[in-house]
């Protein structure tokens, strides 16, 4: 936990300032934008740091376009520090081995250059027999259940896993609620819980096959 805090407030700023001299990464445009508030930039900042690592490794390439890091940065810039991270958590849960197959079944487009999955922050709305409200309520009761109801079972399974991992860590630290580790795990748990509710709603609204 101490390393995470140090990385956020010391190492990432140094990395960012050093990289600014010769490289420009996608999230940097949001950090330099006057239309993005300082508090939103504080959450985009670690994403910019992550891009300095992920963009240098083929093993960290994202199957989506925009990538999960770009998606998260733009979601935070546009929708704020509450909804933005929740939207990013939803995308991370959807970035699983079944994403390509799910996208192909919908008949949606791929990026021509490298066949990445085109998935904008706001996709095309579809007529659906699945209720976004019911899906959201199901995931509010059992994270992942709403995605399964909306016929994306693997998204639901991965979403539940992303919620359960920090939740189990926070639960083990429940007797030490004044620790930084507990706070971090609790915040991450809340973000992924919100991501499952939002993700279930989004799945029912936007990711249904049109007959």
């Amino acid at each position: 936990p101490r390393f995470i805090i140090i990385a956020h407030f010391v190492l990432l700023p140094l990395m960012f300032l050093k990289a600014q001299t010769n490289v420009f990464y996608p999230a940097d445009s949001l950090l330099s934008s006057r239309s993005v508030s300082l508090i939103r930039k504080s959450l985009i900042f670690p994403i910019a740091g992550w891009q300095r690592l992920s963009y240098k490794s083929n093993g960290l390439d994202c199957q989506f376009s925009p990538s999960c890091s770009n998606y998260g940065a733009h979601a935070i810039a546009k929708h704020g520090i509450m909804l933005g991270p929740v939207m990013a958590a939803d995308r991370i849960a959807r970035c699983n081995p079944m994403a390509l197959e799910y996208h192909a079944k919908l008949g949606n487009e791929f990026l021509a250059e490298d066949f990445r999955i085109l998935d904008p922050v706001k996709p095309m709305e579809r007529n659906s027999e699945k209720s976004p409200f019911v899906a959201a309520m199901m995931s509010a009761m059992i994270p992942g259940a709403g995605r399964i109801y909306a016929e994306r079972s693997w998204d639901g399974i991965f979403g539940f896993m992303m919620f359960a991992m920090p939740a189990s860590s926070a639960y083990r630290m429940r007797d030490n609620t004044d620790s930084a580790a507990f706070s971090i795990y609790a915040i991450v748990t809340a973000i992924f819980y919100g991501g499952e509710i939002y993700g279930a709603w989004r799945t029912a609204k936007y990711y249904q096959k049109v007959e």
Side-chain angles (χ1 to χ4, degrees):
R2 290 182 180 179
F3 173 77
I4 295 175
I5 295 172
I6 292 172
H8 193 158
F9 293 104
V10 179
L11 298 181
L12 283 176
L14 291 175
M15 186 187 303
F16 175 72
L17 292 174
K18 181 179 179 181
Q20 280 294 86
T21 59
N22 52 16
V23 181
F24 193 79
Y25 291 84
D28 294 353
S29 62
L30 298 174
L31 291 177
S32 61
S33 174
R34 294 183 178 181
S35 63
V36 180
S37 69
L38 185 60
I39 191 170
R40 296 186 185 192
K41 287 180 180 179
S42 70
L43 295 186
I44 296 171
F45 204 87
I47 296 176
W50 166 253
Q51 289 184 346
R52 279 154 174 76
L53 299 175
S54 62
Y55 275 56
K56 294 178 181 179
S57 171
N58 291 334
L60 296 175
D61 283 349
C62 184
Q63 62 185 322
F64 282 104
S65 178
S67 67
C68 289
S69 62
N70 286 335
Y71 183 102
H74 282 279
I76 292 168
K78 183 175 181 180
H79 297 284
I81 63 171
M82 298 299 289
L83 181 57
V86 164
M87 295 175 68
D90 159 59
R91 167 62 95 80
I92 292 171
R94 290 189 287 111
C95 192
N96 62 65
M98 285 297 294
L100 184 68
E101 182 174 340
Y102 282 142
H103 193 75
K105 285 182 177 179
L106 291 179
N108 285 348
E109 295 182 355
F110 293 85
L111 195 65
E113 298 85 56
D114 54 11
F115 207 63
R116 285 194 295 156
I117 300 167
L118 285 174
D119 183 63
V121 174
K122 185 177 180 181
M124 179 185 70
E125 186 172 342
R126 294 168 174 265
N127 296 324
S128 172
E129 295 179 356
K130 303 294 183 180
S131 167
F133 176 79
V134 171
M137 289 299 100
M138 289 180 68
S139 276
M141 292 184 288
I142 304 176
R147 297 186 199 259
I148 295 174
Y149 157 78
E151 300 180 352
R152 282 205 172 192
S153 299
W154 282 105
D155 285 1
I157 292 170
F158 275 87
F160 177 81
M161 291 170 57
M162 297 302 298
F163 161 80
M165 287 188 290
S168 62
S169 297
Y171 180 77
R172 287 195 298 270
M173 297 178 182
R174 65 190 183 280
D175 295 328
N176 192 18
T177 57
D178 59 340
S179 72
F182 173 82
S183 299
I184 291 170
Y185 283 124
I187 291 171
V188 173
T189 299
I191 290 172
F192 277 99
Y193 176 70
E196 282 313 291
I197 296 173
Y198 170 80
W201 173 86
R202 183 185 178 100
T203 300
K205 188 175 182 67
Y206 294 120
Y207 300 125
Q208 298 299 304
K209 186 174 179 60
V210 177
E211 300 295 342

